Amino acid sequence: METSPPREYHPYVHFLIGGCLFLFLLLLWNEFAVSYSVYFLYQWLDTPMHFFGGFAVGIFAMGILRWAMTKTQFNSRPQFWYTVGIVVLVGVVWELVETYYKVSVIYGGLYWYDTIKDLLMDTFGGILSYICFHQRTKHPTHQ
């Protein structure tokens, strides 16, 4: 009976839990803001919400990547592009949901402006999460 070698320890649980908790809090705030017309009163609030949403999805994406790969695989792959790609994908899905529920109608004819701005803010949030939380490897010349 052959057994596979044990996976190297590679922390990911705190990213998954932290990302889920942050997303859950954002969804609660979003539900409150929609229910009480906060976005209608303060239209600028949509911008930081997308930024923080991208940040939270970026944290969660890094947890998924760390969970799915061994440490060697993780360190040899371009996590930045994977993380940003996941954030953009989730942002596009969110924009489709906003379109379906006609959330962006409050912007009138500026729907495409709002969508591009939202996707940029999602992406910037994801990039910041990567900058803050990616695992830095030590190079032999920097020891």
Side-chain angles (χ1 to χ4, degrees), residues 1 23 25 29 44 47 51-52 58 81 85-86 96 113 120 132:
M1 185 163 124
L23 284 169
L25 292 173
W29 169 252
W44 58 267
T47 301
F51 180 82
F52 288 126
W81 294 112
I86 292 169
L96 290 173
Y113 167 78
L120 282 173
C132 292

Side-chain angles (χ1 to χ4, degrees), residues 22-23 26 30 39 45-59 61 80 82-98 113-130:
F22 198 179
L23 284 169
L26 286 172
N30 185 61
Y39 291 128
L45 190 58
D46 182 57
T47 301
M49 286 295 290
H50 276 275
F51 180 82
F52 288 126
F55 188 83
V57 170
I59 293 170
F80 174 79
Y82 288 164
T83 303
V84 171
I86 292 169
V87 169
V88 169
L89 179 66
V90 171
V92 167
V93 169
W94 186 263
E95 288 301 311
L96 290 173
V97 168
E98 283 188 353
Y113 167 78
D114 179 60
T115 300
I116 292 168
K117 174 191 59 77
D118 290 348
L119 290 174
L120 282 173
M121 295 315 306
D122 294 337
T123 305
F124 292 153
I127 290 170
L128 184 63
S129 70
Y130 178 83

